[in-house]
Amino acid sequence: FDGTEVEVSQIVLPLPIDAAATEVERTRERLAAIRGEILEEERTFEGAAREFSAGESAAEGGKLGPVSYTHLT
């Protein structure tokens, strides 16, 4: 490719590998609700990441930094 990089961010909600189907569904619903609030501009992605994410980048608003486009395909 042409070396294009994109900024990548994430929101991580923990889920045990042996989670019951009901727990998986609750987590999906929670993620969908968070996504909806972001899309409706009720909160920013960065704010949601700080509040809800269990990922290492939560304090930085979920930002992982630039990633080569080729790594995303």
Side-chain angles (χ1 to χ4, degrees):
F1 279 129
D2 62 2
T4 300
E5 290 186 335
V6 295
E7 287 288 327
V8 177
S9 300
Q10 67 178 1
I11 295 175
V12 177
L13 295 185
L15 190 63
I17 195 151
D18 60 347
T22 55
E23 188 175 1
V24 172
E25 185 58 29
R26 275 195 309 270
T27 301
R28 283 186 181 143
E29 289 171 358
R30 186 169 180 215
L31 283 168
I34 293 167
R35 181 178 186 271
E37 291 176 5
I38 293 167
L39 292 175
E40 292 295 321
E41 299 181 355
E42 295 171 14
R43 70 172 70 243
T44 64
F45 184 96
E46 293 82 4
R50 285 186 187 96
E51 184 173 344
F52 301 113
S53 184
E56 293 180 12
S57 64
E60 291 82 38
K63 294 183 190 310
L64 298 175
V67 174
S68 171
Y69 182 76
T70 58
H71 287 105
L72 300 175
T73 57

